[in-house]
Amino acid sequence: MNILMTAAETAPIAKAGGLGDMVFSLSKVLRSEGHDVRIILPLYRSIRPKLNGADKEILRFMVKYREKSRRVTIRSWKIEGIPLYLVDCKHYYDREGIYGPSADSGYDDNLERFILLCHSAMKLIEKDIWIPDIIHAHDWHAALLPALLYQRSMIKPDSPKIKSLLTVHNMAFQGEAPMDDFALTGLNTELFPRENIKFYGRLNLLKLGIIYSDKLTAVSPTYREETLTDEINGAGLNDTLSSRGDDYSGILNGIDHEYWSPNEDKHLPFILKSDWTEFKASNKQAMIDELKLSGGIEKPLIGVVSRLSWQKGIDLLFECVPKILKDANLVVLGSGNKKYEDRLSGLAGENADSMFFDAAFNEPLAHRIYAASDMFLIPSRYEPCGLTQMIALRYGSIPIVHSVGGLADTIIDYNEDADNGNGFAFKDFNKFSLIDKITAALEFFRDQDSWNILLKRANKSDFSWNRSAKRYIKIYNDLTGAN
Ligand code: ADP
Ligand code: GLC
């Protein structure tokens, strides 16, 4: 089957978070199952130096947005055997960041930037460059595509049928704009009832995608439920999602076990040979030396690798820092909200021997933190899926999480279920609950025999794509009638 993944990110070349990981790892596993999966994404400035002249120009066209014409070239390229279509438009994409000049801000013209991504995917089809059976659209950046496909099927009923699947990774971002911007979409108003386009008087691309996609998925079963029933998670679109009923399913993401592999991770000072205790101790000692932390390897090390946003519950983390630093070292890697960055820098400055903070996006350091830490903190307010708890488990770092969304689907609290527990999970989003769980984890750590039980369980947990990819393939098959 031909599947065109359309997204703003793909690992390893353009990643701001889990979206990039998910798009790439799912594509990889689908290709290994024999499907022709290709990914279309913008040619960001950061990708350009990696091309090394190996890209091929395959299509040129012009677009006119807001009375200005822009030249667009689509280039084909490959990464780890996956064909990519890179949308080259210097005006929109030759910039510092993926979404904005810093992790804390978005570009003013993001609507046009991602509408151009959708129009480019349609051009591939119109110009007969490559015809997918399925367009798998991710998040609001690609959510216009289902509506464009619907329009195409209305205008050209005899053209080959292309089905659409929209995966929602985060309902909080919807591609909203004043209604005047509707003209940018290229949709014909006569085909689209106003109530399908508008949300509180504004254009909303995610809403359009939810209504016009053939099928929908959320990135975990619990997040699916939460988007239907909970106001924060549904972000106002609960009823629109409910109206899609059986077409909407929740599929837990997987992680790429080849990439996130403690046995051969090139970013680690020490890889896993066979002994977990030795793997953890050597990586932890290396981090203690690198960051000049106090206490030696007996002192627990708690890691955090996160976007610094409201979603991630970073404000709750601040409140627990004094408690954490009494008994443990804390290493935080993350960028985003400037106020959070400043506060964390301040705390790390005041407690230099027990806390380290790096306000950066640093892939190698992230790997070292997963490997060196004993516990991994994820106090997210909401979490559609979350990949860091899966990665942490793979590297023997025991997650302490707020039990919501995908975190609830992956982490079983050890205190509640000692036979299956693989971490520590709190239900109420407040500092007392978080501190309780941190305390429980630290106490547990003191008894190294018990801790080793958790380590072994972490080692066994399998969040590879094996199961979930099959569920995506089933949806593709249902859509195309391939079953
Ligand atoms: P989200 O997509 O909401 O940010 P996920 O848990 O799904 O959260 O995925 C986060 C991904 O981004 C993981 O691969 C994690 O290791 C990575 N990541 C997050 N922040 C950083 C950072 N500052 N430096 C390096 N990697 C990071
Ligand atoms: C979003 C969500 C995160 C999820 C990721 C990949 O960034 O915030 O929970 O893991 O997408 O689906």
Side-chain angles (χ1 to χ4, degrees), residues 17-19 22 139 169-170 219 253 307 311-312 383-387:
L19 171 65
M22 189 278 191
D139 270 352
H169 297 256
N170 198 333
V219 286
N253 288 335
R307 285 187 291 114
Q311 172 191 344
K312 300 290 178 180
E383 195 61 79
C385 178
L387 302 180

Side-chain angles (χ1 to χ4, degrees), residues 123-166:
K123 275 278 185 229
L124 285 180
I125 297 162
E126 282 161 21
K127 298 288 176 189
D128 217 6
I129 303 285
W130 190 65
I131 309 291
D133 301 299
I134 305 268
I135 288 195
H136 189 158
H138 296 266
D139 270 352
W140 79 262
H141 318 104
L144 175 62
L145 272 167
L148 290 168
L149 286 174
Y150 168 78
Q151 173 162 286
R152 175 176 175 271
S153 71
M154 298 304 281
I155 297 172
K156 293 186 188 165
D158 296 332
S159 58
K161 293 272 167 293
I162 299 171
K163 297 289 185 174
S164 62
L165 166 64
L166 175 67

Side-chain angles (χ1 to χ4, degrees), residues 344-411:
L344 285 165
S345 290
L347 286 164
E350 288 157 23
N351 302 282
D353 66 336
S354 52
M355 177 172 171
F356 171 84
F357 169 61
D358 188 2
F361 196 92
N362 184 335
E363 186 77 19
L365 179 56
H367 289 237
R368 295 204 297 280
I369 295 175
Y370 290 118
S373 55
D374 299 297
M375 294 151 212
F376 197 87
L377 206 54
I378 315 177
S380 304
R381 250 189 194 82
Y382 73 93
E383 195 61 79
C385 178
L387 302 180
T388 59
Q389 78 280 18
M390 302 181 191
I391 304 168
L393 279 173
R394 189 137 167 83
Y395 284 69
S397 181
I398 303 302
I400 303 173
V401 308
H402 180 210
S403 196
V404 283
L407 296 170
D409 291 333
T410 49
I411 302 304

Side-chain angles (χ1 to χ4, degrees), residues 168 170-174 176 199-200 204 206-207 210 223 226-241 382:
V168 179
N170 198 333
M171 289 292 296
F173 303 101
Q174 303 187 348
E176 287 175 73
F199 184 58
Y200 287 103
N204 187 306
L206 189 63
K207 180 175 173 185
I210 292 170
Y223 188 58
E226 290 167 345
T227 58
L228 293 169
T229 53
D230 173 272
E231 263 178 44
I232 290 186
N233 283 294
L237 290 174
N238 313 58
D239 292 343
T240 314
L241 283 167
Y382 73 93

